[in-house]
Amino acid sequence: MKTSFNKYLYVGFLLLGLYQALISKEYMQAAASMGIGLAFDPFNTEQKWDDRPMWQKAVLIIHLLLVATMFVLAFMTNSK
């Protein structure tokens, strides 16, 4: 896929996940949406991980941590 199209899909799934987490309080759906968003790498997909700038690595790792946080919230709120 083209990188510019990936950016739109990445941002779209990220915003959908944030809406599901903050407004709807559906944390499992938010984790799924944000996780799908990671599949659409918004940066240069031809570039190896080791060659990427540190800020791009940080964005993707923080996004992954946000997905993990949504999974934890989903399990904590369902275990009543």
Side-chain angles (χ1 to χ4, degrees), residues 10-68:
Y10 177 82
V11 170
F13 277 107
L14 182 62
L15 291 175
L16 176 62
L18 289 173
Y19 169 79
Q20 290 168 331
L22 300 174
I23 306 300
S24 301
K25 305 293 186 205
E26 296 177 11
Y27 300 115
M28 189 60 77
Q29 289 294 323
S33 296
M34 289 183 194
I36 291 170
L38 278 173
F40 301 104
D41 187 354
F43 306 114
N44 184 3
T45 56
E46 301 295 322
Q47 194 174 25
K48 291 183 178 180
W49 178 258
D50 293 334
D51 298 335
R52 290 180 184 230
M54 186 62 70
W55 71 270
Q56 288 182 3
K57 292 178 186 179
V59 166
L60 295 172
I61 290 171
I62 290 169
H63 186 142
L64 184 61
L65 291 173
L66 188 59
V67 171

